[in-house]
Amino acid sequence: MFGLTVDDFKILYFPKNLENGVITDDVVKNAKQCSDTFHDYLVNNRFFSSVSCFRVYDNVLFGFYTQAERCLKSGKTDVSNVEVEWRSLCSSSLECRRFLTS
């Protein structure tokens, strides 16, 4: 549908999982890359930029990235410091994936 599959969405635009429970420089870099590339994709795609769940995801993804970056800079590297943002990101991602499969 319009050039974006669920697999592409998950691989290209969803940050790597915080499996080790620590916010690292790699986690922040990956989140920034996902945020930047998704935002560019959205800005340049008239159809998806008109779909509210994708605009929400763009904002939530940026929020996750900025919070993770703030935590890393301040030395608060435990994943619990971004738990709210991570949950919001996962929820928003599910909405986008549901849209892509409908």
Side-chain angles (χ1 to χ4, degrees), residues 1-82:
M1 169 191 253
F2 301 99
L4 183 63
T5 67
V6 172
D7 288 337
D8 289 342
F9 179 78
K10 289 189 300 188
I11 293 168
L12 297 173
Y13 305 125
F14 192 80
K16 293 178 185 171
N17 197 342
L18 303 170
E19 293 174 1
N20 62 1
V22 178
I23 301 166
T24 64
D25 192 47
D26 287 340
V27 168
V28 172
K29 284 179 183 177
N30 178 253
K32 180 177 180 4
Q33 181 205 14
C34 289
S35 179
D36 289 349
T37 57
F38 185 72
H39 184 75
D40 288 345
Y41 179 80
L42 199 61
V43 166
N44 293 307
N45 188 304
R46 177 175 256 172
F47 175 75
F48 285 113
S49 65
S50 70
V51 179
S52 63
C53 66
F54 290 98
R55 290 192 315 268
V56 168
Y57 182 75
D58 186 37
N59 290 327
V60 171
L61 180 57
F62 181 74
F64 171 75
Y65 153 66
T66 56
Q67 179 65 15
E69 183 179 52
R70 275 188 232 123
C71 289
L72 183 64
K73 285 180 179 178
S74 68
K76 297 178 181 179
T77 60
D78 187 80
V79 74
S80 65
N81 292 298
V82 293

